[in-house]
Amino acid sequence: MYVPRFLSSLHAESNWAVASLVHVAGSSYLPSGALMAFHPDGRSLGVISGGCLEADLRARVESDGVRDTAQLLVYDLRRTDDLGFGPGAGCDGVLTVLLEPWTDDLAHMFEGIQAAWALQSADAGWPSLSSIPLARVRRVWHRGLGCVTVMCDVGGHLVARYSVPVKPAVGVPADTEWDVYYEPRPRLVIFGAGPDVPPIVSLAHRAGFDVVVWDWREELLRRARFPHAKLLLTGTEEAVAAARVSSYDHVLVITHQYERDLAILRHLARVSPFYTGLLASRKRAARMLSDLPDGHRVHAPVGLPIGAEGPDEIAVSIVAELIHTQSGRRQAHARGVLMDTAEAGWK
């Protein structure tokens, strides 16, 4: 799960409430860790379910104002009668949500996560997949004290700890603990800024990637074409170094010039990004890959085989493959993230 970008827009606002999906038993539209913000005036940011919970959460914020006291809510979406959340609810699980006011403590926790990641960011390059620091947020419900204690560590280093008073909760056992994890956003570095690249950037940004676009042609690197990407203008030989490509990154090579693509791929072979995709015909890709060192894996032709035609459909196939590979990496990483609380200095 990624930390939502919309949280940065809440810092200057007042009266926002944030709903955190802290636990899922069964199935749900989103995994635990999903966040959504609500304002008493009806505004909302993000999504926390497939439409099952939003109306109820919005009504609570608009009626109660959720100012100084949080609410711990349990939604049983397995019911199909009128006592549930409507017949045929999209989820089939029990979802626990903490609805709390947007406070300095909550803001500082997410700022601390970002600051910890910045010390060893994807831009600087993590040396290996196992060294990527996940952020863990643990929430403990103390029924006797009427509060939830929130603790957060990044890679075992404590970055935040605070308590928030909670209204009496129904259906939540005393001293229940929930852990959720957040990971740094993956980077997508695209070499080439031709007419087929803007749709890829747009979709990848919406899918959660931080995007970098490189090209040697200044006229193509316009903010109007790439409003959601970092832009790099250098010569071809400096491209990979200027983008600071690491083993954590996803990379696409789309210059549509044989010698330029080959030069970039040779530089990438020394870095071994997590994913390298080449947009080229099978024949052209085979010829190019034969000139590369053994062991450097390149997805070519790039994208899932969905019979895509034209820039928009090709962008869908490419970003779908990026999501697929990122999901596989996330699952593999998640199997080794558990740690004892003492390692984070928790008591």
Side-chain angles (χ1 to χ4, degrees), residues 67-84:
R67 297 182 183 276
D68 301 317
T69 304
Q71 299 179 33
L72 195 54
L73 308 165
V74 178
Y75 296 93
D76 189 345
L77 303 182
R78 299 170 299 180
R79 305 187 62 156
T80 58
D81 54 27
D82 290 339
L83 297 178

Side-chain angles (χ1 to χ4, degrees), residues 19-208:
S20 304
L21 183 57
V22 299
H23 183 69
V24 174
S27 63
S28 69
Y29 184 73
L30 290 172
S32 59
L35 299 165
M36 186 171 182
F38 297 90
H39 197 275
D41 65 9
R43 285 178 291 163
S44 63
L45 298 168
V47 63
I48 200 170
S49 77
C52 307
L53 312 183
E54 282 78 357
D56 183 72
L57 291 167
R58 182 176 291 106
R60 290 176 182 274
V61 171
E62 292 177 0
S63 61
D64 298 338
V66 190
R67 297 182 183 276
D68 301 317
T69 304
Q71 299 179 33
L72 195 54
L73 308 165
V74 178
Y75 296 93
D76 189 345
L77 303 182
R78 299 170 299 180
R79 305 187 62 156
T80 58
D81 54 27
D82 290 339
L83 297 178
F85 281 79
C91 304
D92 188 25
V94 180
L95 281 57
T96 304
V97 175
L98 178 64
L99 182 63
E100 61 182 309
W102 179 256
T103 62
D104 288 343
D105 286 330
L106 187 55
H108 292 159
M109 181 182 75
F110 286 108
E111 290 169 355
I113 291 173
Q114 299 291 355
W117 282 336
L119 293 177
Q120 196 178 14
S121 68
D123 282 318
W126 283 299
S128 66
L129 181 60
S130 62
S131 68
I132 301 170
L134 296 187
R136 176 176 59 173
V137 179
R138 169 165 292 182
R139 296 176 176 89
V140 184
W141 161 232
H142 303 287
R143 177 182 290 175
L145 299 176
C147 71
V148 167
T149 299
V150 182
M151 297 167 285
C152 175
D153 82 282
V154 177
H157 300 285
L158 188 68
V159 298
R161 178 172 181 154
Y162 69 94
S163 295
V164 56
V166 177
K167 292 182 179 180
V170 178
V172 183
D175 299 320
T176 302
E177 297 181 354
W178 306 280
D179 285 351
V180 300
Y181 293 89
Y182 297 98
E183 62 181 310
R185 290 184 178 276
R187 277 205 327 162
L188 170 62
V189 182
I190 303 177
F191 293 97
D196 47 359
V197 174
I200 300 172
V201 173
S202 178
L203 282 177
H205 173 79
R206 292 168 61 185

